[in-house]
Each structure stands twice: as structure tokens, then as C-alpha cells.
Amino acid sequence: MAQPTSTKVGHALAKVLGIKVDYRNEIPKDNVSRGESAYSVDTADTFVEEEPSSAEWIRSVIPTGRGLLKYLHNLFPFTHWILNYNLTWLAGDLVAGITVGAVVVPQSMAYAVLAQLSPEFGLYSSFMGVLIYWFFATSKDITIGPVAVLSTVVGTVVLKVVKKDKKLANEKDQIASVLAVVAGCIVTALGLARLGYIVEFISLTAISAFMTGSAINIAVGQIPALMGITGFSNRDSTYKVVINILKHLGRTKLDAAMGLTALAMLYIIRSACSFAAKKRPNQRKTFFFIATLRTAFVILLYTMISWLVNRHHRKKPLFKILGTVPRGFKHARAPNVNKHIISLFLSELPATVIVMLIEHIAISKSFGRINNYLIDPSQELVAIGVTNLLGPFLGAYPATGSFSRTAIKSKAGVRTPFAGVITAIVVLLAIYALPAVFFYIPSSSLAAVIIHAVGDLITPPSTVYQFWRISPLEVPIFFAGVIVTVFTNIENGIYVTIVSSVALLLFRVVKARGRFLGKVKVHSVLDSQVIGGGHGGGKGSSGAARDLFLPIDHHDGSNPQVEVDAPYPGIFIYRFSEGFNYPNANHYLDDLTQRIFATTRRTNLNTYAKLGDRPWNDPGPRRGQALEDHSDRPTLKAIILDFSTVNNVDVTSVQHMIDVRNQLDRYTAPDRVDWHIASITNRWTKRALANAGFGYPSLNDPNGGQSRFKPIFSVTEIGGFDSPANIAELADNEKEAKRAKSIGDISKQAPHQVDARGSTTSSEDLDKEITRSKAYGKPRVALVHGLSRPLFHIDLTSALQSAITNVEARPASTAADTTKDF
């Protein structure tokens, strides 16, 4: 068959460059059926597995026209459900939207203060967040807007920029807007590139540590405002703020009365509603809404008290109040994005983006699992990014998903993301109708709202204990993140937890330990009866006993009383535990070779005839001492690698395998080691190993001539008794027989003669008729894996069968020691 022009050109170019294309010593196609595999070739359909090509991979990743249309369609998920919107959904969204709106108004103004901005900027961020998000949302529960942790990070950025450039002291809102636009661009780009999976590198432990440390940091920082204490900065490290609070405790003002009682009332209402809901389950929904609206109720109550106290003291209130909040969008303008401002906060940008991502994605995934739907992390990044890109045009600062408001929205019975529009209407009404009321809100009461909200972000001790039970190594990471956050700042806490989590992951990958496996025969038992064991306890006999491969050292927790048999003298089965790539390849193979050298002997005992022939790292015994006698050990015959946990390999890992193969071939000279590889699940991994010379035996004998190899292939029936078509035909025949019996046809054809089992001769005739069906013809089988790679096996059982068969088929001179004990 003529080769394609592209192939001819490629081969010609390879020849010019000195590349040997056909360098692999594979089994020739005409040698596959030399008699060793007659069953496979004569009885089964021949199958030669094609290797994947680079062109095939390129075709798989280049988007098609249909793929592009789907991509564009998925950018606007609301188009998937908006045409099915109905009144039932609207009712649920109205309740949830109004409920969240009542919560977000006071919270957003409080969080704006954390960001070093005026309260109205929190309202702008809330409005734009809930209004834009629903267009791009894949979560019905998430509420985007100002949150405590991100607001604190924004406040830190604003203060650092102002410290570097005093001229920007009156443009804090511009700094926050530029930060939102830049962070939004980065997050949008990640989402459009469908890189949402990068968030998976941040572990739950890291997120919990970051949230706990941030909550403690924020709560402690709000105590001065809660108590009316002044004279020091509440933006210092947490421990410094605690020390300063204790030092200046005598400066407590009347603000403490408004703050402490508001905080106590928030907790009392929540506890009372929780207790009442348990006592009266039928009214649980009512108590939920009462508890949800406690923030709005407390703020309104203390605003009224503040108005009564300060209405005649507007210029000099008795305690600190919020002050003037402008009506409408007074700060709507295009953000002044310039290099100067960006350069001032560039070092803080990674922390801002990380907080924006992990808080939102963690919350959306959690509530998606709770409410039984899947979110698209990449699309959620698009939603966050676009929200932060467009929000600053109306004065918004960086926003992300809120845990507390999302939980409220979910429990309120939200049906679709459209509930965000309802919340936006509530916030819009507040922006235009309530600024006069906002004037009298006590600052200490807002501090109580913040402390109460972030308290839910602290990881409870019971959860930390669960971390310890599941993965003890991750608990130090949790405490390290919390401690660093408390003693430095939130940004450092983020970096420490993420870096520590990635370091632990890499450590586990690099120091992964493989396991040497042995064979055990097991039976399945049901109700004290062996299934398939011939004791009346099961169906069929195929399950009477089966081979199971367990670690010889029982480090998997298997019963140490179970004796695990070595596979065969000179044959080793090795299972990788954490993949097989360049970080851990050397560790795995060193473990493999050390075990082999410790339990086997060289094939040629006279390899080192003279002392000077020995290598420096194997000098032998001291002068006058005899060599250690290892003649009782078997020689190395074959290695079986279990690739069930391996998805991809790389150049480094495969090169390590080649080096070890060459090393062991010298160790077993003049014999060679057979490398059997089981359970390869990736075609590219097969291609990589095959190109390195694995998967097929060497047909050239080291002593000259050509060795004979007995390949063993796995086949499966695609016809015969167990095929789906024949099972269906058998069922039809049985139905027909039952129908004939019911109408009395059988009684007319033969007399009823009941035997000792209670059956009739006529029913036996029916059974014979059924078994004469073509469903019981000669079964047809097919190969599971290709003929061209006889050393790649479907499982460990077939790999071991092949290894033993070919070891026993070797000449007697090389296989004589296989009868020795292992």
C-alpha cells in the first residue's frame, strides 16, 4: 500500500536529520501467529490497536463550529431556563429576593466602612452585584456583593496606596474602583479561557484557615468601634489590636451601650428562633424568616433609638452615627484606570484575586451539592469578573459571593438566579428612599452587625477534629494559617495556607510509596454461604474462587493473618500509588530495585571472576572472608507493573524505566527481564511506553538466534450463550413456552407424567426445545487489547499468567532455579 505524501516527506526529513523512525524492536506482524497464540488468532477477530497521533490530539482540542456555538450559548446560562419561567418560580424568587434585600442593605453599608469607603459604596456594590450576576450565573443561591473578608482586603489596599501617594487620600473610591476593574479583567480572562479548575489547587483546609483567621481579624478590629474606643489603629495585626483594646479600655464611650446590646440582641433572637423551631417544627419556616430579618430589625430599632437621642444633636451626636448618605448614584462615572494607581497596588493584587475566587467558588460548590445541582467554576469566574468590571461605573468596589446571604437565600426557597433582580430592586429603593433614615444608624450597631456576621465564618472545633481524623497532616496547615493571619495580616495567611497545601501535595506525590503484591485466593460469602461455591448459596460456579492481589507487607490494612503468596519465584508485582511522573519516578524505581537486589541473585554467579572486576559500590567481603551464599535465592525473571493508578507518564519517568530495565538486564545477563504492564487506561501512556520499547518482548536471544515467546491475550464473548441478543431470544422462548402451557397445547401433545421432582415430561421437552435455539450456538470472541502489544495486559491476573507461562517456557538452563523457594 502506497504511503501518503505527508508520511514520505516526514520520513525523508527524518533521514536528513538522522532520526531513526523504525527504531523499535517490535514483533513483526507475520510473527504474531507463529503458533504460540493459535486460539487468539483462529477463534477471535484480529484486533491491532492504533496508536494516538498528534494530529488526532490537535483535532480533539480545536473547537468545531458547533462547539463554538455551545461555548457562546453557555456564556449566558439564563437562556437555558428563562423561557420556562413561571409564576411558581416567581413566588419563590420574590420571597428570597426581598429577604436577602432586607439583609444586604445594612450589611453592605457596614462592609463599606471596612473597605475605608463611605457607606453608599456598599449599596452600589450590592446593587450591581445582584443585578449583573443572574445573566451569567450557574448557581441559583449565590448572592454577589460586599463581603467582610474582601472588604477588609480592599481597605488594606486603599490604605497602602494612600500611604505611598498622599495625593490620592481623597480618591479612595477611585482606588477601589480601579482595583475592581483590574481584578475583574483577570478573573474574566480566567473564566473565558475555562481555567476554573485552578481553584481546585486550594484545599478545604486552606480555605477554612483563611476564613477563620480573617473572621478573627475582622471581629477583633471591630471591637474599638463597638465600644467607642479611639486612639489607635484597628488595622494593625490582630494581636496588637487586642493589646491596644486592653490598654485603652478606660476610654469606652456611650457607643458601647448601643453596640454591645445590639450584638447581644442579634444572638438572642437567633438562639430563640432556633430553639422555637425545634419545639414547634410546624412553624419552622416562620421562625426562619424571623431569624433572617433580625439584622434589619435590630438596625431599625437602634436607628430609632439613635433618632430619639440625637435628633436635637445632629452636629454633635452623643455617640458616633453613620452621617449623611447621598441619595441616588452620586458617584457614577468611568473608573480612572491608569498605570500609576495600578503600580501602587500591584503587589496586593494576587491576594485580592485569590479572595475573590476562593470565597465565591467554595460557597457556590457547597450550595450546589446541598441543593442537587452542578455549577460551572469557569462560568462563575466569568460572572464574578463581569460584575467587577461593570460595577465600578456606578461606584461599586470589589465584590464576590457572600456566605451568610447565600445561606439565607437558599433557605428562603429561591427558585432561580432571577431572585437577584428582586434584591436589586430592594437595594435600589433603599438608595433612593432611605438615605434620611441611614443618617442616624449608630456606627457601633453596624460594628455589631459585622461581628455577628463574621462569627459564622470561624471553623468550629468539631470540624477541626474531623480534619484531624481524616488527614492529620493538614491540621498544622490550618493552625499555621490562622496564627499567621492573627500575628501578621490576612494576605500573609492566604499565601501561607496555599503554599503549605501545595507543598504537602507535592510531598505526597514525590514520596509516594509503591506496594509489592502477592496473590490470595478469596471467596465471596453471603449469609454464611459461599457464593458459587457449590454449597447451595449462590448462582453459578464462576464465583467459587478468584485471585486477589494484596500488598505482601499488609500495609493496606488487610488482615495480617492472611498469608499472601509470592506470585512466582523471580517474578515481582509492583503497584504505583500516586501516579508515575517525574517527581516520584526515581523514588518508585529505587524502591523496586532495592527489593529485587535484596531478594534475588545474579543469574551468572561468576560475573566477577577477579576482585578487581567488582565495582566500587559492591566490593564484596573483606580479604580472607568467603562470599555470601545466595544460591538459595531465585534469579530475576519478570516484573509486573500495575498501572491502574497511572494516567499519564512523561519523558523523565519513562527514561527512568529504560535505565532500570538496562540495569536489570545486566543483572540477569545472559537472560533478559520481561516487563509486563497491567491496567493501562490511557492510550497516550501506551504509546509512550511502546516507543520506549515496552509492551512487546525482545525476539533476539542474547546468545544469538531468535527466542520464542508465548503471548497470552484476553478475549471476551460477543456472541453465544451470554450475549445480550441470545439472552433476549432465550427470554422470548421461555415466554412462548409459558403461553403454550397456559392454553393447554402441551397437554394435547404429551401425557402428564410427573417425576420425583414434580416436573412433567412435556415441560422437559419444552426445555429441550428452548436449548435447541440458535442462542446456544458456537460463541464468538473478540480480543480486548491489540495483538501488537502482548506485554500490555488488561489486569494483573492475565499479566501473571503470561509471565509464568513464558518463564516456564524458557530453556531448562535458564529456568532451573524457578523451583526454589522464594
Side-chain angles (χ1 to χ4, degrees):
M1 183 178 178
Q3 292 180 329
T5 304
S6 59
T7 303
K8 293 180 179 178
V9 172
H11 285 188
L13 184 61
K15 188 174 182 180
V16 171
L17 296 174
I19 299 174
K20 187 178 179 182
V21 178
D22 298 322
Y23 67 92
R24 294 185 290 184
N25 185 26
E26 298 190 53
I27 300 177
K29 292 182 179 179
D30 56 350
N31 285 342
V32 172
S33 57
R34 294 175 301 155
E36 291 93 333
S37 55
Y39 174 79
S40 298
V41 175
D42 295 342
T43 314
D45 290 343
T46 299
F47 170 65
V48 178
E49 184 178 349
E50 295 292 334
E51 288 185 348
S53 65
S54 300
E56 177 185 338
W57 180 83
I58 292 172
R59 285 194 299 270
S60 69
V61 297
I62 292 178
T64 61
R66 180 175 300 218
L68 285 174
L69 289 175
K70 184 178 180 181
Y71 172 81
L72 294 174
H73 187 212
N74 288 336
L75 283 178
F76 303 95
F78 78 95
T79 58
H80 298 173
W81 53 266
I82 193 66
L83 295 179
N84 295 321
Y85 203 80
N86 53 67
L87 291 176
T88 304
W89 290 1
L90 178 61
D93 289 344
L94 276 171
V95 173
I98 293 172
T99 304
V100 172
V103 174
V104 75
V105 170
Q107 276 192 355
S108 61
M109 291 190 293
Y111 294 155
V113 176
L114 290 177
Q116 301 297 304
L117 301 173
S118 301
E120 63 268 21
F121 290 97
L123 296 173
Y124 303 155
S125 297
S126 297
F127 174 76
M128 291 300 289
V130 293
L131 183 64
I132 297 173
Y133 175 69
W134 80 277
F135 284 99
F136 306 95
T138 59
S139 170
K140 70 179 179 66
D141 300 298
I142 282 285
T143 299
I144 286 188
V147 296
V149 179
L150 185 57
S151 295
T152 303
V153 172
V154 172
T156 302
V157 173
V158 169
L159 289 177
K160 287 185 178 180
V161 171
V162 170
K163 186 177 180 180
K164 293 177 182 177
D165 188 349
K166 303 294 185 183
K167 297 177 182 178
L168 297 173
N170 296 324
E171 298 183 20
K172 292 181 178 179
D173 58 314
Q174 280 286 0
I175 299 170
S177 294
V178 174
L179 179 62
V181 170
V182 176
C185 285
I186 294 172
V187 175
T188 302
L190 292 174
L192 292 175
R194 291 309 190 231
L195 297 176
Y197 61 84
I198 63 173
V199 183
E200 306 297 340
F201 286 98
I202 304 174
S203 68
L204 176 60
T205 312
I207 295 173
S208 299
F210 148 69
M211 298 295 282
T212 300
S214 301
I216 295 172
N217 180 291
I218 294 166
V220 171
Q222 288 304 300
I223 292 177
L226 184 79
M227 306 285 289
I229 303 173
T230 57
F232 60 92
S233 173
N234 65 346
R235 311 291 300 194
D236 290 334
S237 299
T238 305
Y239 78 98
K240 290 182 179 179
V241 176
V242 172
I243 293 172
N244 286 327
I245 289 172
L246 296 175
K247 282 183 178 180
H248 299 85
L249 201 58
R251 296 184 182 180
T252 303
K253 299 176 183 176
L254 186 59
D255 300 67
M258 304 296 289
L260 290 174
T261 55
L263 182 61
M265 185 171 291
L266 287 168
Y267 278 106
I268 289 170
I269 294 174
R270 185 174 73 174
S271 300
C273 290
S274 177
F275 178 78
K278 292 179 180 178
K279 290 294 183 181
R280 298 186 177 182
N282 296 334
Q283 298 179 351
R284 183 173 297 172
K285 200 75 172 177
T286 302
F287 291 118
F288 161 74
F289 282 109
I290 293 173
T292 298
L293 298 175
R294 67 185 180 276
T295 302
F297 169 75
V298 169
I299 289 297
L300 287 174
L301 174 63
Y302 281 83
T303 301
M304 184 181 70
I305 296 172
S306 176
W307 174 77
L308 292 172
V309 173
N310 294 311
R311 58 180 173 170
H312 301 303
H313 309 280
R314 285 175 61 90
K315 293 183 179 180
K316 291 184 178 181
L318 298 181
F319 44 81
K320 189 176 180 181
I321 57 177
L322 203 57
T324 302
V325 176
R327 188 186 306 274
F329 296 94
K330 299 296 183 182
H331 301 277
R333 76 279 188 256
N336 182 23
V337 181
N338 59 68
K339 293 182 180 178
H340 176 62
I341 295 178
I342 295 175
S343 64
L344 293 176
F345 65 65
L346 194 60
S347 60
E348 310 296 328
L349 188 59
T352 306
V353 173
I354 290 171
V355 173
M356 195 179 287
L357 293 181
I358 62 178
E359 199 166 356
H360 181 95
I361 299 299
I363 294 168
S364 58
K365 282 188 174 181
S366 175
F367 281 91
R369 295 187 188 103
I370 290 171
N371 295 309
N372 196 28
Y373 63 85
L374 295 176
I375 65 124
D376 181 352
S378 297
Q379 183 59 30
E380 289 298 312
L381 297 190
V382 173
I384 307 170
V386 173
T387 298
N388 285 282
L389 271 174
L390 300 181
F393 287 88
L394 285 182
Y397 70 91
T400 188
S402 165
F403 177 81
S404 60
R405 297 194 295 272
T406 298
I408 291 170
K409 191 176 180 181
S410 176
K411 291 180 181 178
V414 64
R415 302 303 298 272
T416 71
F418 188 74
V421 177
I422 311 300
T423 302
I425 294 172
V426 174
V427 176
L428 188 64
L429 289 173
I431 291 173
Y432 279 96
L434 299 178
V437 178
F438 296 155
F439 180 87
Y440 289 101
I441 296 178
S443 296
S444 57
S445 299
L446 282 180
V449 169
I450 294 173
I451 294 172
H452 182 66
V454 300
D456 293 332
L457 301 180
I458 297 176
T459 305
S462 59
T463 303
V464 179
Y465 177 71
Q466 287 299 317
F467 290 167
W468 173 260
R469 298 293 299 173
I470 294 169
S471 178
L473 285 178
E474 294 186 73
V475 175
I477 295 176
F478 172 83
F479 285 112
V482 174
I483 292 170
V484 170
T485 302
V486 168
F487 284 91
T488 58
N489 53 51
I490 293 175
E491 293 84 350
N492 290 341
I494 294 170
Y495 297 141
V496 166
T497 53
I498 292 176
V499 170
S500 300
S501 297
V502 173
L504 178 60
L505 172 65
L506 292 177
F507 175 79
R508 285 172 166 168
V509 170
V510 172
K511 291 298 183 180
R513 292 195 59 186
R515 292 283 181 253
F516 288 90
L517 306 182
K519 189 172 64 171
V520 176
K521 282 199 175 295
V522 298
H523 301 264
S524 297
V525 177
L526 175 65
D527 296 332
S528 302
Q529 296 292 325
V530 177
I531 298 177
H535 303 291
K539 299 178 181 179
S541 59
S542 60
R546 64 184 188 278
D547 289 334
L548 191 68
F549 295 90
L550 296 175
I552 294 175
D553 56 11
H554 291 287
H555 280 180
D556 63 334
S558 56
N559 189 347
Q561 294 181 348
V562 175
E563 294 185 5
V564 181
D565 298 327
Y568 192 85
I571 296 178
F572 294 84
I573 303 177
Y574 191 74
R575 173 179 290 163
F576 301 113
S577 60
E578 293 274 354
F580 183 64
N581 297 99
Y582 71 91
N584 55 26
N586 190 63
H587 185 72
Y588 275 134
L589 296 178
D590 281 352
D591 184 35
L592 175 65
T593 53
Q594 287 175 9
R595 177 65 175 268
I596 289 173
F597 292 152
T599 55
T600 62
R601 64 171 176 82
R602 288 183 176 275
T603 303
N604 184 359
L605 295 176
N606 298 318
T607 301
Y608 306 125
K610 297 183 297 182
L611 181 63
D613 293 337
R614 302 189 71 90
W616 67 273
N617 60 331
D618 185 15
R622 293 182 180 181
R623 293 183 182 277
Q625 294 183 353
L627 286 170
E628 293 184 17
D629 183 14
H630 295 315
S631 59
D632 59 325
R633 295 181 181 178
T635 58
L636 177 62
K637 294 293 187 290
I639 294 173
I640 301 172
L641 298 180
D642 183 358
F643 264 53
S644 58
T645 61
V646 178
N647 186 39
N648 293 295
V649 293
D650 50 49
V651 172
T652 306
S653 59
V654 173
Q655 184 60 48
H656 278 305
M657 287 184 64
I658 294 172
D659 294 341
V660 171
R661 179 182 62 189
N662 295 337
Q663 177 188 14
L664 295 180
D665 279 346
R666 291 191 295 270
Y667 180 72
T668 59
D671 290 346
R672 287 188 176 179
V673 181
D674 290 336
W675 289 72
H676 299 260
I677 303 177
S679 305
I680 306 176
T681 58
N682 189 314
R683 293 174 63 213
W684 286 93
T685 300
K686 289 182 182 178
R687 167 179 154 153
L689 294 172
N691 276 277
F694 296 94
Y696 43 85
S698 174
L699 298 181
N700 296 321
D701 191 276
N703 299 318
Q706 201 174 57
S707 62
R708 295 178 66 82
F709 182 79
K710 294 182 175 294
I712 294 179
F713 300 103
S714 297
V715 297
T716 184
E717 287 190 13
I718 57 175
F721 181 81
D722 290 328
S723 69
N726 292 329
I727 290 174
E729 184 180 353
L730 176 61
D732 289 341
N733 288 342
E734 290 176 342
K735 288 180 181 179
E736 181 64 25
K738 291 180 180 178
R739 188 189 66 81
K741 285 178 69 174
S742 64
I743 62 176
D745 290 345
I746 298 176
S747 60
K748 296 178 182 178
Q749 295 177 9
H752 290 268
Q753 297 177 359
V754 182
D755 60 13
R757 295 173 297 174
S759 63
T760 66
T761 54
S762 57
S763 63
E764 291 176 354
D765 292 340
L766 278 173
D767 291 339
K768 292 178 181 178
E769 183 65 28
I770 292 173
T771 55
R772 292 193 195 106
S773 166
K774 60 183 179 181
Y776 298 87
K778 182 180 180 181
R780 182 165 165 247
V781 297
L783 291 161
V784 178
H785 282 175
L787 290 170
S788 55
R789 303 286 180 266
L791 296 188
F792 289 163
H793 305 279
I794 191 170
D795 59 9
L796 287 176
T797 300
S798 60
L800 183 58
Q801 288 172 347
S802 178
I804 293 175
T805 299
N806 284 280
V807 166
E808 293 179 344
R810 291 182 182 182
S813 60
T814 62
D817 63 337
T818 59
T819 58
K820 296 177 182 178
D821 294 333
F822 182 55

